[in-house]
């Protein structure tokens, strides 16, 4: 833990010093991990449709990246944040290594969790997961892969008896919620009282159709819609700045340096 803290402190000092109310973006530009692909360049087993979907997913993340980049805030934005089980157990003082299957052999080096964006703010942290889905896009469950069971205690598919579209939409939200909560847990293992806000961004989904998710009002409030990204500064003030007014907790700097 001490080594991570020291290295993190050096990186913060070198790359993340306050910059006149401008966001510090890490990496400095979104990595183009999904370049334009021509049929002859396809990976074995993949189709042009698959590559187009990956490109579209990347572009959805870029739209959120640009919205965060344009905020006039002293924040640090970590794009593509991920951590291993070993890093998790360093944070969780209650973790018992004996009997933990993830700690055996080299399993501890496997990825434990991830999120598309982790934002370090003065009053806390913001976790954002991005889902590339349009309001007029028809999603449905497939044999062997049922979106409608994601995040549910029961793994019995409900798509045969309920609206498949709504269930699939809700499944994407539940999946994003699982990913967000893992990262929030990592942070809160270091300091239980730290403020961690969680959101799922749907850059191509308009608010008019939000009822199709069939979520509770509190769950719907955690969604960032297309209109919110188009007027992101106001959304950020209402949903983040207003809720992070309190002074940072005593362990805030320690958490920042570790992340």
């Amino acid at each position: 833990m001490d080594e991570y803290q020291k290295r993190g402190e050096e990186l913060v000092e070198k790359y993340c010093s306050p910059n006149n109310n401008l966001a510090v973006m890490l990496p400095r530009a979104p990595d183009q991990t999904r370049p334009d692909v021509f049929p002859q360049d396809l990976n074995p087993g993949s189709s042009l449709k698959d590559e187009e979907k990956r490109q579209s997913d990347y572009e959805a993340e870029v739209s959120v990246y640009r919205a965060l980049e344009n905020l006039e805030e002293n924040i640090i934005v970590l794009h593509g944040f991920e951590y291993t089980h070993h890093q998790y157990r360093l944070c969780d003082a209650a973790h018992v290594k004996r009997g933990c299957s993830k700690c055996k052999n080299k399993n501890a080096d496997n990825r434990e969790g991830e999120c598309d964006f982790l934002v370090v703010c003065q009053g806390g942290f913001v976790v954002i997961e991005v889902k590339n889905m349009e309001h007029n896009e028809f999603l449905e469950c497939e044999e062997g892969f049922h979106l409608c069971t994601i995040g549910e205690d029961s793994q019995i598919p409900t798509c045969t008896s309920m609206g498949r579209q709504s269930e699939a939409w809700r499944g994407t939200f539940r999946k994003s919620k699982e990913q967000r909560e893992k990262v929030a847990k990592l942070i809160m293992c270091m300091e239980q009282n730290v403020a961690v806000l969680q959101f799922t961004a749907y850059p191509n989904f308009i608010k008019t159709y939000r009822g199709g998710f069939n979520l509770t009002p509190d769950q719907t409030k955690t969604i960032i819609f297309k209109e919110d990204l188009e007027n992101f500064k106001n959304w950020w003030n209402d949903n983040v700045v207003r809720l992070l007014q309190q002074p940072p907790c005593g362990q805030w700097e320690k958490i920042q340096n570790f992340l």
Side-chain angles (χ1 to χ4, degrees), residues 170 173-174 210-220 222-223:
R170 189 160 54 173
F173 176 82
R174 286 195 293 258
R210 60 183 178 272
F213 283 96
N214 284 333
L215 302 174
T216 67
D218 285 343
Q219 289 175 325
T220 304
T222 67
I223 295 182

Side-chain angles (χ1 to χ4, degrees), residues 141-142 144-159 167-168 170-172 174-175 178:
C141 299
E142 301 175 2
F145 181 68
H146 284 268
L147 284 166
C148 61
T149 64
I150 293 176
E152 293 286 2
D153 293 334
S154 171
Q155 294 301 298
I156 300 175
T158 60
C159 56
E167 284 298 292
R170 189 160 54 173
T172 65
R174 286 195 293 258
K175 180 62 177 177
E178 286 181 2

Side-chain angles (χ1 to χ4, degrees), residues 8-66:
E9 185 177 355
E10 292 171 352
L11 290 172
V12 168
E13 183 177 350
K14 184 174 182 179
Y15 296 107
C16 306
S17 56
N19 191 20
N20 296 324
N21 285 333
L22 295 178
V24 175
M25 310 297 293
L26 297 174
R28 297 290 188 181
D31 290 332
Q32 174 58 298
T33 56
R34 303 179 179 92
D36 294 333
V37 174
F38 297 96
Q40 65 269 23
D41 300 323
L42 292 175
N43 295 323
S46 67
S47 66
L48 184 58
K49 184 177 180 181
D50 292 334
E51 297 298 334
E52 288 175 344
K53 180 63 168 65
R54 294 189 185 96
Q55 180 70 21
S56 180
D57 290 344
Y58 167 75
E59 290 170 359
E61 287 191 25
V62 170
S63 67
V64 178
Y65 184 103
R66 296 305 182 199

Side-chain angles (χ1 to χ4, degrees), residues 3-189:
E3 181 181 348
Y4 280 98
Q5 291 289 337
K6 182 179 179 181
R7 291 173 60 187
E9 185 177 355
E10 292 171 352
L11 290 172
V12 168
E13 183 177 350
K14 184 174 182 179
Y15 296 107
C16 306
S17 56
N19 191 20
N20 296 324
N21 285 333
L22 295 178
V24 175
M25 310 297 293
L26 297 174
R28 297 290 188 181
D31 290 332
Q32 174 58 298
T33 56
R34 303 179 179 92
D36 294 333
V37 174
F38 297 96
Q40 65 269 23
D41 300 323
L42 292 175
N43 295 323
S46 67
S47 66
L48 184 58
K49 184 177 180 181
D50 292 334
E51 297 298 334
E52 288 175 344
K53 180 63 168 65
R54 294 189 185 96
Q55 180 70 21
S56 180
D57 290 344
Y58 167 75
E59 290 170 359
E61 287 191 25
V62 170
S63 67
V64 178
Y65 184 103
R66 296 305 182 199
L68 290 164
E69 184 180 38
N70 290 328
L71 287 175
E72 296 177 354
E73 300 281 344
N74 281 326
I75 57 175
I76 301 172
V77 179
L78 305 177
H79 179 209
F81 176 81
E82 59 183 47
Y83 62 94
T84 66
H85 182 68
H86 171 67
Q87 291 166 328
Y88 166 76
R89 70 189 184 191
L90 287 176
C91 301
D92 187 1
H95 180 73
V96 179
K97 188 174 180 179
R98 183 187 296 272
C100 175
S101 61
K102 293 183 179 180
C103 291
K104 291 181 179 180
N105 303 321
K106 295 183 178 180
N107 291 346
D109 293 328
N110 292 339
R111 187 172 60 190
E112 175 87 357
E114 62 176 328
C115 68
D116 293 316
F117 295 94
L118 175 57
V119 186
V120 182
C121 308
Q122 288 297 316
F125 302 85
V126 179
V127 180
I128 301 176
E129 188 64 20
V130 181
K131 291 299 178 184
N132 178 30
M133 185 178 72
E134 297 185 23
H135 60 275
N136 58 355
E137 179 178 356
F138 185 79
L139 295 180
E140 61 180 331
C141 299
E142 301 175 2
E143 184 177 356
F145 181 68
H146 284 268
L147 284 166
C148 61
T149 64
I150 293 176
E152 293 286 2
D153 293 334
S154 171
Q155 294 301 298
I156 300 175
T158 60
C159 56
T160 56
S161 59
M162 299 178 65
R164 292 183 297 175
Q165 179 74 321
S166 179
E167 284 298 292
W169 285 2
R170 189 160 54 173
T172 65
F173 176 82
R174 286 195 293 258
K175 180 62 177 177
S176 72
K177 186 170 179 286
E178 286 181 2
Q179 292 174 277
R180 289 168 10 201
E181 289 177 343
K182 277 189 173 183
V183 176
K185 181 181 178 182
L186 172 78
I187 296 171
M188 297 181 75
C189 279

